[in-house]
Amino acid sequence: MNLLVTGAAGFIGSHFVRLVRRVRPDWTVHVLDALTYSGNGTTMADFLADGGVMFHHGRIEDHTKVTEIVQGNQIHQIVNFAAESHNDRSLVSGSSFLVSNAMGVENLLNVVRENQLQRFVQVSTDEVYGTIAEGQFTEETPIAPNTPYSASKAAGDLQCRAHFKAYKTPVVLTRGGNTFGPFQYPEKLIPFFATRLIQGKHVPLYGDGSQIREWIHAEDHAAGVLHVLENGLVGEAYNIGDVNERTNLEILEVLLEETGRGQELVINIEDPRKGAHDARYSMATDKLQALGWKPEKEFIPSLRSTIQWYRENRDWWEPIVQDPQYQAFVKQYYGKYLGDLL
Ligand code: DAU
């Protein structure tokens, strides 16, 4: 099988390629990545060195580029991890989110149809459902996104639905929960806080920290996507989550413990996401579990080992946090809250 994985220089995509190389060594894997700010060549160093993975530099919105890769390498299936993914950045400007997450998906769907590929897996998010005070999102929950990021992901989901209805394009959707693990760009809660605390810097907790997220390790998330690629029914969506509902305060406690830092480094800031801040995510995953997938990782030990990974892999994240573009965003977004503590 010749598989094209888009967005594999990013966080979950890179875990997916590593998993595929391990458990499906006879597959040929092609990677397409634009190497935008959060995509990192060093993240792919191990699997690009193994000879079974071919790298292509480019954007998923580029019809000519994607068509050339598909036709030139007899690609059978595509899994799309490429996305702009950070809610806070989308609240500063949402345009690039629509380009990647809506137009990019539309382009991939067209290439899949024009070349009669066997399958297209679109990796989406539980955030398309919005927020839920009680109970759980199922795949039947109407979508009601609350940020420019989640709205752009929902647009991609709807394009998938429309292409399936209109052309019977063989598309399957996954909707994953909050994902953590090694190689996550240090802008999301866990790697942002871990890297700042390791450096002895202050961390900005939004509001009172009572928001609840459902956490899943990147390796479990990647295994869920592979399971959907191989077993999912076309035209269907599958939630990929674990039962780990935790408040941000609970996550913070483990971060402080593992980095040996104290509460004095925590600043409770006015919530920068304001009305767009979802209070709680929780997903039912029975549909995918009925196909034989289940998460394997225990939450607290794997959260601790993730923080330890950041302690031991400064050479991966230090160049990122020292990059002027990274620092410019941190200053722009958090400057008014943290002032001299930036
Ligand atoms: O649920 C899946 C989604 O999870 C993915 O689709 C998104 O791509 C991913 O970014 C994540 O979205 P969140 O907005 O939930 O993740 P984030 O790590 O940005 O924030 C998690 C929680 O932590 C949220 O309640 C906001 C809070 N937070 C975050 C940051 C960056 C803070 O209190 N302080 C911070 O500095």
Side-chain angles (χ1 to χ4, degrees):
M1 148 110 116
N2 298 329
L3 179 69
L4 174 60
V5 183
T6 58
F11 170 45
I12 310 171
S14 65
H15 281 273
F16 178 79
V17 171
R18 241 171 251 118
L19 173 72
V20 167
R21 290 302 297 146
R22 197 171 69 245
V23 301
R24 300 287 179 270
D26 51 325
W27 291 7
T28 300
V29 180
H30 290 263
V31 160
L32 171 65
D33 200 290
L35 299 178
T36 56
Y37 79 94
S38 62
N40 191 332
T42 57
T43 301
M44 299 185 290
D46 56 336
F47 56 75
L48 288 185
D50 85 359
V53 181
M54 265 60 68
F55 177 72
H56 307 266
H57 185 211
R59 300 195 61 92
I60 56 170
E61 311 89 79
D62 183 342
H63 186 265
T64 308
K65 180 86 192 178
V66 180
T67 302
E68 271 171 19
I69 296 169
V70 162
Q71 293 181 353
N73 301 286
Q74 289 85 45
I75 296 295
H76 301 116
Q77 309 194 352
I78 299 179
V79 181
N80 179 36
F81 289 92
E84 290 292 332
S85 70
H86 192 39
N87 276 307
D88 293 299
R89 282 182 190 258
S90 80
L91 288 161
V92 176
S93 168
S95 312
S96 60
F97 288 75
L98 279 167
V99 172
S100 300
N101 303 353
M103 295 301 294
V105 174
E106 167 69 10
N107 186 50
L108 293 174
L109 286 163
N110 286 332
V111 175
V112 169
R113 175 166 50 90
E114 289 157 6
N115 294 278
Q116 299 179 326
L117 301 194
Q118 294 165 0
R119 182 162 284 225
F120 174 62
V121 175
Q122 166 62 10
V123 177
S124 186
T125 167
D126 61 355
E127 292 198 11
V128 297
Y129 299 123
T131 187
I132 188 163
E134 283 172 13
Q136 295 182 308
F137 303 124
T138 73
E139 291 81 355
E140 305 307 316
T141 304
I143 55 182
N146 292 319
T147 67
Y149 157 67
S150 49
S152 69
K153 289 298 284 185
D157 288 18
L158 293 175
Q159 285 310 108
C160 290
R161 176 191 153 88
H163 277 248
F164 174 69
K165 292 282 178 194
Y167 314 114
K168 293 275 171 287
T169 304
V171 53
V172 196
L173 272 175
T174 65
R175 294 189 176 133
N178 278 64
T179 307
F180 69 100
F183 298 111
Q184 188 172 27
Y185 188 81
E187 63 184 353
K188 308 286 166 66
L189 177 70
I190 291 172
F192 185 47
F193 278 25
T195 53
R196 285 188 70 88
L197 290 170
I198 290 166
Q199 296 171 93
K201 292 186 171 174
H202 290 77
V203 291
L205 187 68
Y206 301 174
D208 62 2
S210 64
Q211 298 82 10
I212 293 171
R213 295 292 180 264
E214 183 181 326
W215 294 94
I216 181 167
H217 193 277
E219 288 175 15
D220 279 332
H221 191 158
V225 174
L226 180 59
H227 205 80
V228 168
L229 176 70
E230 297 190 306
N231 303 286
L233 298 180
V234 294
E236 296 291 323
Y238 295 90
N239 291 342
I240 301 181
D242 205 338
V243 285
N244 302 305
E245 278 184 48
R246 309 282 163 155
T247 63
N248 295 338
L249 278 176
E250 288 174 279
I251 302 291
L252 175 64
E253 199 182 305
V254 181
L255 279 154
L256 291 174
E257 263 175 42
E258 277 300 315
T259 55
R261 303 295 183 186
Q263 284 291 340
E264 68 282 359
L265 288 186
V266 181
I267 312 279
N268 286 76
I269 66 168
E270 183 197 330
D271 194 339
R273 297 188 186 178
K274 303 194 170 69
H277 198 166
D278 293 330
R280 176 174 175 260
Y281 302 138
S282 178
M283 273 183 295
T285 57
D286 320 27
K287 188 171 169 183
L288 186 52
Q289 300 225 16
L291 290 184
W293 169 85
K294 64 173 171 47
E296 306 283 345
K297 296 269 188 188
E298 246 189 279
F299 179 63
I300 294 293
S302 39
L303 176 55
R304 288 189 190 285
S305 62
T306 295
I307 300 164
Q308 194 179 338
W309 185 88
Y310 283 94
R311 285 207 312 262
E312 289 168 357
N313 288 275
R314 294 178 80 118
D315 56 337
W316 182 82
W317 58 262
E318 270 176 348
I320 297 175
V321 304
Q322 285 160 8
D323 186 287
Q325 278 185 27
Y326 177 89
Q327 292 181 354
F329 174 76
V330 173
K331 190 168 178 199
Q332 178 191 9
Y333 200 73
Y334 297 106
K336 70 177 168 199
Y337 307 106
L338 295 187
D340 291 346
L341 304 175
L342 267 181

